[in-house]
Amino acid sequence: MKRIIILTLKILGGLVALVVVLLVAVFIYINSSAGQQRLLRFATDLLQDKLETKVQIDSVSVNFGTLDVNLIGLDVEDRQQRPLLQTDRIAVSIEKKKLLTHRVEVESAHIDGLRAQVHTPKDSAANYQFIIDAFKTDKTKTQEKPKSKNQLVLDIHKLHLSNIYVEHHGVTKKGYNQTTTFALTDLLLKSKGSKYAVVVDNLRFATDNHQSRKNTNRPKRGFFDAGHLDVTASMEMMVNHYGKDTVHVSLTKCMARDSITGFDVKDLHFNVGINKTTAYVSNLELQHLNTKLSFDSATIQLPSKKQGRKLEYATTMISGSTLLKDIARPFAPALSRFSIPLHFKVLMSGTDSTMHFRKAHVNTADQKLKVDANGDITHLQEKEKLFIRFNVSKMSTDATTAQKIINQFVVKKFMMRQLNNLGAIGYKGSFDVLYKMEKFRGVLSTSKGSLGFNLTLNEKTKYLTGSVRTKGFRLGQVVEMKDIGDVGFGADFCFDYSKPRTARVRRLRGGKLPIGWVNVKGASASYKKIRMSDINATIKSDGVVAQGHIEQRKKLTDLLCDFTFNNTDSIHKMKIKPAMRLKNMPWQKKMTDEERDRLRAAKQKAKEEKKATKAAMKAEKKAAKEARKAEKAAAKAAKKQNNQ
C-alpha cells in the first residue's frame, strides 16, 4: 500500500513538473522575439479580417513579467485605401497585481507620433465608422446576459501624448469643403491622489474652408472668420473630480493666440463643474491684450436634441476694463486707434440665438463719460435677420471728452468747433443695428438746449437721413453769431456718406463740406431782440459751397435771406444777403403772362450780353498778354543777336 502511494505521488509530481516545465517554456517563448512576432502576425491577420482593410504593425515588445507593452509603427487604412491612423510608438505599463482584483491600472501610457486623416462626407458615413461598427456589441445579446459582478475598472496614473496631428475633411452648413487641423506638441496627464494634473504645450487648431476670407476687398470688416482660424494655445489644469456623470475642472493657466484674427489671450483661469444637463463656471478671469474681465459665477444649460433642451446661460455681474482697439482687428477696424481706457460692468444671459445685456454701465477713468443701458441681440445665427437694440437710460459727458472720442476714429470731421460750444452733453434714447442699417433716436440735452432726433444710416444706399426737433435752442451761441437768440424748429435732412461718391466730388472740385440738404419748416427765432415765427429754410451743399435760403411769408411782406459758407468751422463768417418783398400794394400792378415772359426774356438777354462782354474783355486781356509776351521774346532775341 505504501509503495502504491509513493508511486502515485511520484507520478503526480512528474505531471506537475511537466506542467511547470511546459508553462515555463510557453512563458519563455512568448517573451522571446520570435514568439512575440508570431503572435503579432496572428493579431494583425485577425484585425485585417475583422476590419476588412490593411492593418500593419512593424513590431511589438511585451514583457509579461512586468506587463510592459511597446508597439512600434501602427498603420491602418480606411476602406478607400487612404491613410486613416498611424502611430510611431505606443508604450503601456500595467500594474499586474491589480489585475487579480479586476482593476486595470495603467502606470503609464505614452503615444508618440500619432497621425490621423478623418473624412466625414456630407452624404455618406465617416471613414472611421467601419471600425466602430466592427467592434460594436449586439445590444440584444448583451441585454440577455446578466451583468458580471466582477467588471474590470480602468484607471490611468500617467498619460503622455506627443507629436499628435489630426486632419479632418468635412463639409460646412453652407456646403463648403472645410479642412480642420488639430496638432499637439505635448500633453501630460498625471494623477495626484484622487486628482489629475494636465499640462498642454503648443496646442494648434486651424480651419480652412478653401474660400476667400470674408473681409477680402472689404476694409471695414474685421479678420474674424470661422472658416479661417489658426489658434495656438498652452494651458495647465487640474481635474478635481471625474465620475460617470460629473466632472470638475480648474483651469489654472491658459494662453491662446490666433495669428490671423489677432485674438491674444494672455491669461484665462476659472473653475467649472459639469453634469448631464448643466455646467457651473466660477471665479473666471480673462486678460486679452489690454482688456480684463471677471465674474463670480455663471450657469450654462447644456443643449440636447434628444431631450429637447436648448443652450441657455446667465452670469453674475461681469466687470472689467478695456481699450476698444483690442477688438479692432477681429471685428471693427474703425476702432484701431481707440485707446481711451473704458471701465464696464454688465449682467449677461441668453441662448444659442440671443444675448441679453442688463444693468450695463460704461465709464472713463475720470468719470467724464458715463453710460447706463440695457440691450438685446436676437437672430444671432441669421445674418440678414440679426437685430441689436440698446436702450440708453442715461449718458453724460462734456464737449471736450466727446471730441476726444470722435478723434479716436479715422473719419472726416465736421462742426467740431460747434460741438465744443455745446458744453455738458446728455443723451437718453435707443439705437438699433439691423442688416446693413443703423437707427438712432432720442433726446440730446446740452447746456445750450435740447434736441430730439431720429436718424438712419443706410449701408446699402450710403445715405444718412433723419429729422431734428427742438422748442428752444441757443443756436447763436453754438455757431458764434451773437445776434441770433433762441430758435425752435423741425428739420429733415439727408447727407451722402459714400466714400466713392464724395471722393469723386473732392477730386474734381475740392471742398470741405458734407454733401446733402436740410429743410426747416415752421421755425421760430429771435434776431437782435426781434422775435419771428413761421420761418422756412433750406440749405443745400454740394461739398464745396453750402447755399441757404430763409424766408418768412406774411400777408403784406416777405422777409428773405440768402447765405453761403464753405467751411463748417467758419459758419459765423458766412456771407448774408437779406431782402424784403412787398405784396398786394395798391401801386403794384399785376403782370400778365405776356409781360412776365417779356421781362424774363429781357433779363436773360441782359445776362447774356453781360456774359459776352465779360468774355470779350477776357479775350482782349489775353491777346494783350500774348502781344507783350511776343514783344519781350523779340527784344530778347535782338539783344542776343547784338551780343554775338
Side-chain angles (χ1 to χ4, degrees):
M1 187 68 165
K2 183 178 179 181
R3 185 179 176 184
I4 294 172
I5 294 172
I6 293 172
L7 183 60
T8 302
L9 290 174
K10 285 183 177 180
I11 292 170
L12 289 174
L15 290 172
V16 169
L18 180 61
V19 170
V20 170
V21 169
L22 287 172
L23 288 173
V24 170
V26 170
F27 185 78
I28 293 171
Y29 178 74
I30 291 175
N31 273 280
S32 69
S33 176
Q36 290 180 4
Q37 290 302 314
R38 187 168 183 177
L39 286 175
L40 173 61
R41 287 192 296 272
F42 174 76
T44 302
D45 292 341
L46 189 66
L47 280 173
Q48 288 192 142
D49 292 340
K50 182 76 172 177
L51 299 178
E52 298 178 7
T53 188
K54 178 185 175 182
V55 178
Q56 180 177 325
I57 302 173
D58 291 345
S59 64
V60 65
S61 172
V62 183
N63 187 324
F64 286 91
T66 59
L67 288 185
D68 291 338
V69 180
N70 282 274
L71 188 151
I72 309 299
L74 172 65
D75 188 351
V76 180
E77 290 185 352
D78 64 16
R79 292 282 176 80
Q80 285 74 41
Q81 288 78 51
R82 295 173 300 190
L84 174 60
L85 178 66
Q86 297 172 314
T87 61
D88 292 339
R89 175 174 172 262
I90 300 176
V92 180
S93 178
I94 300 174
E95 175 58 56
K96 60 184 179 180
K97 292 181 181 179
K98 298 293 182 178
L99 289 175
L100 299 175
T101 60
H102 291 84
R103 293 184 64 88
V104 179
E105 283 201 8
V106 178
E107 288 292 327
S108 63
H110 183 195
I111 301 176
D112 180 46
L114 183 148
R115 298 169 297 282
Q117 293 278 347
V118 178
H119 297 264
T120 55
K122 185 177 181 180
D123 301 320
S124 58
N127 69 330
Y128 57 83
Q129 185 62 41
F130 73 97
I131 299 178
I132 297 174
D133 294 340
F135 292 99
K136 188 188 300 181
T137 56
D138 190 338
K139 290 185 178 180
T140 58
K141 292 182 180 180
T142 56
Q143 287 173 358
E144 292 173 358
K145 293 181 180 179
K147 291 185 177 179
S148 172
K149 295 181 180 179
N150 299 318
Q151 293 184 357
L152 287 174
V153 178
L154 179 64
D155 192 7
I156 300 177
H157 291 289
K158 182 179 179 181
L159 174 64
H160 186 197
L161 305 179
S162 58
N163 302 314
I164 309 298
Y165 182 87
V166 179
E167 194 173 275
H168 172 244
H169 300 272
V171 182
T172 66
K173 291 181 179 180
K174 293 185 177 180
Y176 301 144
N177 293 319
Q178 179 161 294
T179 301
T180 303
T181 303
F182 174 88
L184 177 66
T185 299
D186 209 61
L187 182 149
L188 180 63
L189 180 148
K190 191 173 183 180
S191 65
K192 291 189 175 182
S194 61
K195 301 180 179 180
Y196 287 95
V198 183
V199 178
V200 179
D201 182 36
N202 197 25
L203 168 67
R204 181 171 179 250
F205 176 79
T207 61
D208 184 2
N209 63 8
H210 308 288
Q211 301 292 314
S212 298
R213 295 192 57 81
K214 289 183 178 180
N215 68 337
T216 302
N217 300 322
R218 301 172 71 180
K220 288 187 177 181
R221 182 162 190 151
F223 274 77
F224 180 78
D225 184 346
H228 297 271
L229 298 174
D230 191 356
V231 181
T232 55
S234 297
M235 62 190 75
E236 297 178 8
M237 66 183 76
M238 182 69 72
V239 181
N240 302 309
H241 168 75
Y242 183 82
K244 181 180 179 182
D245 299 323
T246 60
V247 62
H248 186 275
V249 177
S250 295
L251 181 66
T252 57
K253 183 179 180 182
C254 178
M255 295 177 289
R257 185 174 185 273
D258 188 333
S259 61
I260 299 176
T261 65
F263 277 116
D264 194 350
V265 176
K266 300 296 185 183
D267 186 30
L268 171 64
H269 55 271
F270 59 83
N271 301 319
V272 59
I274 305 173
N275 58 35
K276 282 186 175 181
T277 61
T278 313
Y280 301 94
V281 181
S282 62
N283 301 322
L284 183 144
E285 292 188 13
L286 167 70
Q287 180 174 351
H288 171 259
L289 296 176
N290 304 287
T291 297
K292 295 181 180 180
L293 66 83
S294 63
F295 60 80
D296 292 333
S297 63
T299 303
I300 305 169
Q301 178 179 279
L302 303 177
S304 171
K305 289 184 178 180
K306 186 176 181 181
Q307 299 176 6
R309 191 171 58 244
K310 293 184 177 181
L311 172 70
E312 293 184 6
Y313 59 90
T315 72
T316 57
M317 188 65 74
I318 301 172
S319 59
S321 60
T322 184
L323 299 184
L324 292 181
K325 68 179 183 179
D326 285 358
I327 62 171
R329 182 175 174 83
F331 297 118
L335 297 173
S336 60
R337 293 176 54 185
F338 204 109
S339 57
I340 297 176
L342 297 176
H343 300 270
F344 63 88
K345 57 183 180 179
V346 64
L347 289 171
M348 280 186 64
S349 61
T351 66
D352 57 353
S353 61
T354 65
M355 295 180 72
H356 309 291
F357 304 87
R358 298 292 179 263
K359 298 182 179 179
H361 176 80
V362 179
N363 64 271
T364 53
D366 57 10
Q367 299 289 326
K368 289 185 177 180
L369 169 68
K370 292 186 286 186
V371 182
D372 293 303
N374 293 314
D376 299 281
I377 304 177
T378 58
H379 302 291
L380 277 169
Q381 298 176 354
E382 302 171 87
K383 181 176 69 172
E384 296 188 4
K385 292 183 178 180
L386 180 70
F387 180 77
I388 303 173
R389 169 167 287 181
F390 270 83
N391 295 306
V392 181
S393 58
K394 183 181 179 182
M395 186 278 285
S396 60
T397 186
D398 56 42
T400 303
T401 303
Q403 280 192 333
K404 287 181 180 179
I405 292 173
I406 293 172
N407 286 330
Q408 303 296 299
F409 299 92
V410 184
V411 295
K412 195 170 182 67
K413 302 171 181 65
F414 299 107
M415 305 189 76
M416 297 296 286
R417 183 166 179 166
Q418 289 75 21
L419 172 63
N420 192 54
N421 294 332
L422 292 177
I425 300 173
Y427 167 65
K428 182 178 181 180
S430 63
F431 65 86
D432 300 339
V433 179
L434 301 90
Y435 180 64
K436 294 191 176 182
M437 185 176 292
E438 296 86 41
K439 295 184 177 182
F440 300 84
R441 66 190 69 82
V443 176
L444 188 71
S445 58
T446 74
S447 60
K448 304 301 186 291
S450 298
L451 296 166
F453 68 91
N454 191 329
L455 59 90
T456 299
L457 284 88
N458 192 322
E459 297 293 342
K460 295 180 181 178
T461 63
K462 300 297 182 181
Y463 282 104
L464 167 64
T465 59
S467 60
V468 179
R469 302 286 184 269
T470 181
K471 292 183 178 179
F473 190 73
R474 292 185 284 280
L475 182 64
Q477 296 182 26
V478 175
V479 298
E480 300 175 10
M481 298 178 73
K482 62 181 181 179
D483 292 333
I484 299 176
D486 288 359
V487 299
F489 61 86
D492 299 320
F493 58 83
C494 177
F495 291 99
D496 188 347
Y497 67 92
S498 165
K499 281 192 174 180
R501 291 195 297 257
T502 55
R504 187 162 53 249
V505 173
R506 305 284 184 235
R507 187 169 59 252
L508 295 175
R509 304 182 59 192
K512 299 180 180 180
L513 295 176
I515 301 172
W517 54 262
V518 180
N519 285 339
V520 181
K521 292 184 178 180
S524 61
S526 60
Y527 182 75
K528 291 185 177 181
K529 299 183 180 181
I530 300 173
R531 188 71 185 175
M532 295 175 288
S533 59
D534 297 325
I535 301 170
N536 296 327
T538 60
I539 303 175
K540 293 182 180 180
S541 172
D542 61 4
V544 180
V545 177
Q547 296 180 332
H549 176 75
I550 301 174
E551 62 179 33
Q552 182 194 43
R553 295 182 180 274
K554 294 295 184 180
K555 187 175 181 181
L556 298 177
T557 60
D558 288 342
L559 297 178
L560 310 172
C561 180
D562 293 324
F563 60 89
T564 59
F565 61 89
N566 56 17
N567 194 324
T568 57
D569 288 335
S570 57
I571 292 179
H572 58 290
K573 297 180 181 179
M574 67 174 65
K575 297 178 181 179
I576 301 175
K577 184 180 179 182
M580 183 176 69
R581 183 168 58 214
L582 300 177
K583 301 189 300 184
N584 302 325
M585 293 294 134
W587 61 83
Q588 285 184 317
K589 178 185 176 183
K590 277 192 174 182
M591 289 192 295
T592 64
D593 291 341
E594 187 179 345
E595 290 174 330
R596 193 177 288 106
D597 291 340
R598 281 202 301 269
L599 180 60
R600 190 181 294 113
K603 286 183 178 179
Q604 183 65 26
K605 184 178 179 181
K607 187 177 180 180
E608 290 176 356
E609 289 177 352
K610 184 177 180 181
K611 187 177 179 180
T613 303
K614 189 175 180 181
M617 291 177 64
K618 188 175 180 180
E620 187 178 344
K621 286 181 180 179
K622 186 177 180 181
K625 185 177 179 181
E626 292 293 334
R628 288 195 298 270
K629 189 175 179 181
E631 289 178 1
K632 286 182 180 179
K636 187 176 180 181
K639 185 176 181 181
K640 186 176 180 181
Q641 188 175 4
N642 291 334
N643 290 336
Q644 290 177 351

